[in-house]
Amino acid sequence: MTVTYTSSVSTSSVVSNFLGLLVRWRGSIYKLVWRDLLMFLGMYTMLAIIYRLLINEEAKKLFEAIALYCGNNTSLIPLSFVLGFYVSIVMKRWWEQYTTIPWPDPIAILVTTSIHGFDDRARAMRRTILRYVCLCQVIVFTMISPRVKRRFPTYDQIIEAGFLLENEKSIIDNLDLAFPHYPKHWMPIVWAASIVMRARRENKIRDDYAVKSIIDELNKFRGYCGFLLYYDWVSVPLVYTQVVTLAVYFFFLFSVLGQQWTEQKEEEDGFSVVKWFPILTILQFFFYMGWLKVAESLINPFGGDDDDFELNWIIDRNITVSYFIVDGMHQEHPELVKDQYWDEVFPNELPYTVQGMRTNPPEASTANMEPAKAPKRRGSLLSTPPSGVRLPDLNNSFLGRLSVSRSYTDSYTVQETPSQVTFSGRSTVSERTDIQSSVGTSQSTIDFNELIEQRRRERRDRMRHRFLDIKTTQLLYDPSGTPYKITVLRPPSEEVIPEEENETSEANTPRPKKSD
């Protein structure tokens, strides 16, 4: 399982919490590079002893020339660029593989809410569907993970764990003989879909939408299992992995020679710490080799490294949770009670154990921004009115009171002043009132529904009169001056014309046409 340390660095302190992480061993860089570091130090020490004690002066000059050449040209290997790009690809692929691992929880929730019944038949349907879902995942994990394969080397171990039955194993074995070159992880999903359709025919599932939802989730689960196989089949190109590995190892092979202490360097640079211990060379090896080891441990997260995914735990968890959802919690929930904020509707302030933890809501970035003052324009309509002139209050005069529907669309209030037009009934009266007798302002309310109805009546009257005018017209003339008659088969208004008038108009008026 991936080594987690987030609880240790949840809050920063005066002394960095990351310093405490440096002494951990499991999942650490020390565990990955200590063998390579010992090999590098052994090679470096052996070359140093050979140069200082075992060769003559001519061989020393040759050794110094080789060390100078390697030290000056090691930078020709673009190690930082190649290694950094490679590690970024591996890290992205590592996280995508984890997010691709399917979980049966959505299917279990859909199954327990859609397949109804407490009898053994309905219970067996729910449990079998989830068992097939988990079986599909187990088969895929045995194909991509060495740990899971060692746990379930054959179908017999899967039967012993309860994921598979003998009759189901015989079906898979027969298909393996007929189609030996193709994986059979999709077969349990097909069986689960068949059980869903049988539950629909037996009215265990009461609507087709629930069937579609379960089938969609089954297909999504199968798709994720297929993606895991794709990640296993198609890895990072081998060429790229070889280039990065060769670049790192050849870089440090030349560094073993190029970073050696020589008498020529001592004459040029004076006293050198490299003569006694190559500190910076070891740090360089530690960082670059550790970088490569991170990529090597994450390129296949289904193996046995410290940061690989624990698929065996996922298998155990999924089968337990699935059975508990579809069987142990089927249509069960706690008692419905009123919450503590029932009367208040919503809480104004939630309690805190430590009052110092209470924080203010986040402040908007423009909260403290002062609006710019616009320059005054002479003669502008938006300028301040002269003294003594009072602008009407639009909110009070137009909106008025709320209507029954809690909106302002049904009615509004008009404040009357002396010599103001007043709406009364269907007539509009303009009257001049004595200024002294109307000290206060009165209010009259206009009902929009009544106005709308009045407009409809007027429209019907106009259409009726237009129809009657057309009926009484003997001759009409087209633009060329030729007379013709029109027969209106149906009045456009809502008024009902007496039958005798309608029959007379149909008898006397021919169909619309032009006469010669």
Side-chain angles (χ1 to χ4, degrees), residues 319-375:
I319 190 64
T320 303
V321 173
S322 298
Y323 280 163
F324 186 70
I325 291 176
V326 299
D327 200 0
M329 296 183 60
H330 178 61
Q331 295 186 1
E332 294 290 340
H333 60 82
E335 182 183 358
L336 293 176
V337 296
K338 295 181 179 180
D339 56 83
Q340 60 179 341
Y341 304 108
W342 181 269
D343 297 328
E344 302 177 14
V345 181
F346 56 88
N348 291 323
E349 188 176 277
L350 293 175
Y352 280 77
T353 306
V354 180
Q355 292 298 324
M357 297 174 58
R358 191 182 302 276
T359 57
N360 295 325
E363 190 177 24
S365 58
T366 59
N368 299 323
M369 182 178 177
E370 296 183 359
K373 296 182 179 179

Side-chain angles (χ1 to χ4, degrees), residues 92-239:
K92 181 181 178 182
R93 178 185 174 89
W94 172 76
W95 180 249
E96 288 178 351
Q97 290 182 75
Y98 181 76
T99 57
T100 307
I101 296 177
W103 302 85
D105 302 28
I107 302 177
I109 294 175
L110 282 174
V111 167
T112 189
T113 55
S114 301
I115 300 181
H116 305 277
F118 292 93
D119 55 316
D120 293 342
R121 178 73 170 175
R123 183 186 176 190
M125 286 182 173
R126 291 192 296 267
R127 293 177 65 92
T128 305
I129 291 174
L130 269 297
R131 180 171 61 84
Y132 285 155
V133 169
C134 295
L135 174 62
C136 172
Q137 190 178 57
V138 170
I139 295 176
V140 172
F141 285 173
T142 56
M143 298 172 65
I144 64 176
S145 174
R147 287 184 175 180
V148 181
K149 185 64 176 179
R150 285 192 291 267
R151 180 183 179 184
F152 304 109
T154 62
Y155 288 125
D156 295 331
Q157 285 73 28
I158 300 178
I159 294 175
E160 184 180 355
F163 293 96
L164 190 65
L165 301 181
E166 288 290 345
N167 60 333
E168 298 165 353
K169 174 180 176 294
S170 61
I171 296 175
I172 296 178
D173 289 337
N174 293 333
L175 284 178
D176 283 337
L177 294 177
F179 307 99
H181 303 294
Y182 304 102
K184 308 300 185 297
H185 66 280
W186 45 267
M187 289 188 58
I189 299 298
V190 177
W191 296 339
S194 300
I195 295 177
V196 171
M197 297 307 300
R198 180 179 294 275
R200 180 68 181 100
R201 289 193 299 269
E202 296 179 6
N203 204 25
K204 301 293 183 180
I205 302 177
R206 299 173 184 174
D207 57 88
D208 295 332
Y209 183 77
V211 174
K212 179 182 181 302
S213 300
I214 298 175
I215 298 298
D216 289 343
E217 288 295 329
L218 289 174
N219 283 326
K220 186 185 297 184
F221 191 92
R222 184 210 55 81
Y224 281 141
C225 291
F227 272 116
L228 290 179
L229 291 178
Y230 302 155
Y231 278 115
D232 183 67
W233 297 339
V234 183
S235 183
V236 178
L238 180 61
V239 177

Side-chain angles (χ1 to χ4, degrees), residues 412-429:
Y412 68 90
T413 303
V414 177
Q415 291 187 356
E416 296 182 87
T417 58
S419 69
Q420 189 176 17
V421 178
T422 304
F423 293 93
S424 176
R426 299 183 183 178
S427 62
T428 303
V429 181

